[in-house]
Amino acid sequence: MRQRTIRFATYLAPNMHPVYERVVAYAGQRLGIRAELVTGKSFEDFASGDCDAGFICGLPYVQLTRSHPSPVELLAAPVLQGERYGGHP
């Protein structure tokens, strides 16, 4: 029997890759399945099923949610430190 794999794609700065690797490893461990991180090629990866989850910034997320049906669903958003962010993602 083939083990299920969850594929995460990152579309963000490469200097954050180690952080995303840790998040993906943790998710795989908690889910009890193989998890991998790839560098996304196109946001079409979501609609085509080439990735199951991804790290993207706000503008592409908003644009993707305008499709019906939307190929993405918000799972988490960071809450940045600093007064200008108002404690919101």
Side-chain angles (χ1 to χ4, degrees):
M1 179 180 203
R2 190 167 179 226
Q3 182 183 11
R4 166 89 165 102
T5 300
I6 185 169
R7 177 178 282 180
F8 290 77
T10 179
Y11 299 86
L12 300 175
N15 66 325
M16 291 296 292
H17 204 269
V19 173
Y20 307 138
E21 284 178 329
R22 291 185 68 166
V23 171
V24 169
Y26 180 77
Q29 179 185 32
R30 293 290 298 175
L31 294 169
I33 60 175
R34 184 173 178 270
E36 66 181 2
L37 177 64
V38 298
T39 300
K41 294 177 180 58
S42 164
F43 292 120
E44 290 295 317
D45 294 344
F46 293 109
S48 69
D50 286 341
C51 68
D52 301 298
F55 300 96
I56 64 174
C57 63
L59 180 59
Y61 168 75
V62 169
Q63 291 171 333
L64 287 165
T65 61
R66 291 182 177 155
S67 300
H68 295 286
S70 173
V72 296
E73 181 178 336
L74 183 63
L75 184 64
V79 178
L80 302 175
Q81 300 296 311
E83 191 173 317
R84 75 181 207 178
Y85 301 110
H88 298 286

